[in-house]
């Protein structure tokens, strides 16, 4: 059984708002599509601050726009 963290990643919504693909984000931040997909589907157990910063920079958003408490 998967553990509920109470944190939702809005990666899908932010990508759609910006007209960006997961593939393009992968290229910009240097993360595999598989790892970004894990994050996008709320299956990640942890995220490095450097990764979080890179994603937010690429999407031009704040951490609070990407990760929300549910």
């Amino acid at each position: 059984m998967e553990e509920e963290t109470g944190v939702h990643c809005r990666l899908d919504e932010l990508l759609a708002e910006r007209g960006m693909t997961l593939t393009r984000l992968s290229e910009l931040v240097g993360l595999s599509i598989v790892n970004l997909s894990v994050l996008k589907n709320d299956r990640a157990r942890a995220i490095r601050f450097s990764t979080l910063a890179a994603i937010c920079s690429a999407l031009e958003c704040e951490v609070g726009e990407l990760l929300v408490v549910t």
Side-chain angles (χ1 to χ4, degrees):
M1 183 174 181
E2 287 193 25
E3 180 183 331
E4 285 293 321
T5 62
V7 176
H8 169 63
C9 181
R10 296 186 61 247
L11 190 54
D12 247 0
E13 295 98 322
L14 293 174
L15 286 170
E17 287 171 12
R18 285 149 179 80
M20 188 183 294
T21 64
L22 201 60
T23 302
R24 179 64 182 139
L25 182 62
S26 171
E27 293 167 354
L28 290 172
V29 301
L31 266 167
S32 72
I33 294 173
V34 170
N35 284 340
L36 285 173
S37 185
V38 166
L39 185 62
K40 178 178 73 92
N41 294 314
D42 288 333
R43 293 194 320 263
R45 292 176 168 257
I47 183 170
R48 289 189 173 123
F49 286 142
S50 58
T51 300
L52 197 53
I55 291 171
C56 287
S57 176
L59 294 175
E60 298 179 355
C61 71
E62 297 293 323
V63 174
E65 294 174 86
L66 180 63
L67 301 175
V68 295
V69 176
T70 56

